[in-house]
Amino acid sequence: MSRFLANTQNPVDKKGRVSVPAAFRTVLGGQNELYTMLSISGPTVEAGGPQLIQAAEARLGQMDPFSEEYEVWSYYIHGDSNMLKIDGDGRITLGEEIREHTGIDDKVAFVGRGHFFQMWEPGKFKIYQKETRMKALELRQRLGKSGGGIAGKRGH
Amino acid sequence: MSRFLANTQNPVDKKGRVSVPAAFRTVLGGQNELYTMLSISGPTVEAGGPQLIQAAEARLGQMDPFSEEYEVWSYYIHGDSNMLKIDGDGRITLGEEIREHTGIDDKVAFVGRGHFFQMWEPGKFKIYQKETRMKALELRQRLGKSGGGIAGKRGH
DNA sequence: TGGGTTCATTTGGGCGTCAATGGATTCAGT
DNA sequence: ACTGAATCCATTGACGCCCAAATGAACCCA
């Protein structure tokens, strides 16, 4: 029951390699392949083990093969995705597509999201982080006093 | 049925370690992992055993996966959180993110909150404590009119 | 009740292991 | 043979793990 948690930042070397945080590699469980897909909602890439693509395909399977949504989703999970190899030292090399979509240059912010994780250009991540925390605060206020933080489930 | 109670202050050593109060460790029940999340509402960190994340995820599970609130909450509980190891002597090491968010430097105030506890920079905690006591007083006066003693403040 | 004693938590530090990082070397495709 | 990629190696530094001293609190007994 391990998940991708926390966020850290690692440098990209001259050869374009980045270390995937050890904690994340542990969650991946010895897998030396990393499945990635460009995010639709922002300049980030979502990544995880092969089961990620399985989940995506499961969803695809529930759609009508002749619908537009099928067409779109199918492209999304296959065409805008990649299978990156994790080398012996736990590093990956990001392709041009990913760097372009995310704006990643010489640093990568790894962000845990539970069953997958994201890779961001640190600056863009900072902005996202700030906005999201603000939204969380609003959300909490909307939900009322009973909704804050962990304390939210005050029903003890 | 033990809870996190009272507040104490412990020093951070050169290597960045702090002892988690023994009473708190007892409540954690032998777990050597501490789940933490940055608070949205203040410069503090909320912590507890792994069941905390389960509770948070349970709540996540009730949300619409495509809603913004899901996105926000998911970030909050996964991206701004950490799983800290408690060493053999009951100490933890706070990461850079936590120190930055809380302002913690060489001292940590541990504050019991029932089913979880908080970690504060002592000075900030003092302020929070003062404000909160004041609010509690107002609250009590308001509630006093309608009736209950100490127990009276239970309901929402 | 005062004093001494024991036990437990806290705290400081040493040391080995693993992760992260930079660079060299081998390999493969063109 | 040349370019880019996949492997392999070596260095550095952080972190986990262990032991020991120091601090303090609970306890017992005279």
Side-chain angles (χ1 to χ4, degrees):
Chain A
M1 91 82 174
S2 53
R3 311 160 173 73
F4 295 102
L5 290 183
N7 69 82
T8 58
Q9 196 170 306
N10 281 344
V12 177
D13 68 22
K14 299 170 193 169
K15 299 164 73 174
R17 302 172 299 183
V18 214
S19 287
V20 175
F24 285 10
R25 299 204 304 267
T26 300
V27 178
L28 290 173
Q31 283 288 333
N32 62 334
E33 283 189 318
L34 186 68
Y35 175 67
T36 68
M37 35 208 265
L38 305 183
S39 167
I40 347 174
S41 52
T44 181
V45 174
E46 320 205 309
Q51 67 281 5
L52 252 197
I53 195 177
Q54 287 169 20
E57 283 178 340
R59 181 185 295 281
L60 184 66
Q62 296 175 330
M63 297 177 179
D64 171 3
F66 298 103
S67 66
E68 186 185 16
E69 84 174 350
Y70 182 97
E71 156 80 14
V72 170
W73 188 255
S74 165
Y75 171 75
Y76 172 56
I77 68 174
H78 296 126
D80 271 353
S81 67
N82 273 96
M83 199 60 104
L84 303 181
K85 280 187 16 199
I86 300 179
D87 72 21
D89 297 321
R91 289 180 284 197
I92 55 176
T93 301
L94 303 178
E96 176 54 29
E97 246 192 1
I98 292 179
R99 287 198 305 271
E100 189 182 326
H101 181 75
T102 58
I104 287 173
D105 177 30
D106 62 346
K107 287 191 178 64
V108 180
F110 291 84
V111 182
R113 299 296 302 221
H115 61 289
F116 66 95
F117 66 89
Q118 299 175 321
M119 293 184 276
W120 291 79
E121 185 284 314
K124 291 187 165 63
F125 170 60
K126 262 278 183 290
I127 296 172
Y128 170 81
Q129 183 181 52
K130 194 175 173 184
E131 285 177 355
T132 305
R133 285 177 179 173
M134 209 171 290
K135 285 175 186 171
L137 186 57
E138 290 168 11
L139 178 64
R140 169 176 176 263
Q141 291 171 338
R142 236 185 307 128
L143 292 179
K145 297 308 175 202
S146 62
I150 299 176
K153 51 179 211 32
R154 141 167 352 200
H156 72 265
Chain B
M1 183 24 28
S2 50
R3 286 117 192 279
F4 296 102
L5 292 180
N7 69 82
T8 59
Q9 192 169 313
N10 280 345
V12 177
D13 68 23
K14 298 171 195 167
K15 296 166 78 175
R17 302 172 299 184
V18 213
S19 286
V20 175
F24 284 10
R25 297 204 305 269
T26 300
V27 178
L28 289 174
Q31 290 282 178
N32 63 334
E33 284 189 317
L34 186 68
Y35 175 67
T36 68
M37 34 203 317
L38 304 185
S39 168
I40 356 174
S41 52
T44 181
V45 173
E46 314 196 315
Q51 67 282 3
L52 265 192
I53 193 178
Q54 288 170 15
E57 284 180 340
R59 168 179 284 229
L60 185 67
Q62 297 173 333
M63 298 177 179
D64 169 8
F66 295 104
S67 66
E68 184 177 62
E69 90 174 348
Y70 182 96
E71 159 85 13
V72 167
W73 187 254
S74 134
Y75 174 74
Y76 174 55
I77 69 175
H78 295 130
D80 267 351
S81 69
N82 271 97
M83 197 61 98
L84 303 181
K85 287 191 193 61
I86 300 180
D87 71 21
D89 298 318
R91 290 177 287 195
I92 55 177
T93 301
L94 304 179
E96 176 55 29
E97 267 236 310
I98 292 180
R99 289 198 303 273
E100 191 183 323
H101 182 75
T102 58
I104 287 174
D105 177 31
D106 61 348
K107 287 191 179 63
V108 180
F110 290 85
V111 183
R113 300 293 300 223
H115 61 286
F116 67 97
F117 66 88
Q118 299 176 322
M119 293 184 275
W120 291 79
E121 185 284 314
K124 290 187 165 61
F125 172 59
K126 264 275 185 294
I127 297 173
Y128 169 80
Q129 189 178 44
K130 193 176 173 184
E131 287 176 354
T132 305
R133 281 176 179 166
M134 214 172 286
K135 286 179 185 171
L137 178 59
E138 291 169 15
L139 182 63
R140 199 186 74 173
Q141 290 173 336
R142 242 184 301 129
L143 293 176
K145 313 269 159 100
S146 56
I150 299 176
K153 62 171 177 60
R154 215 14 167 166
H156 3 275

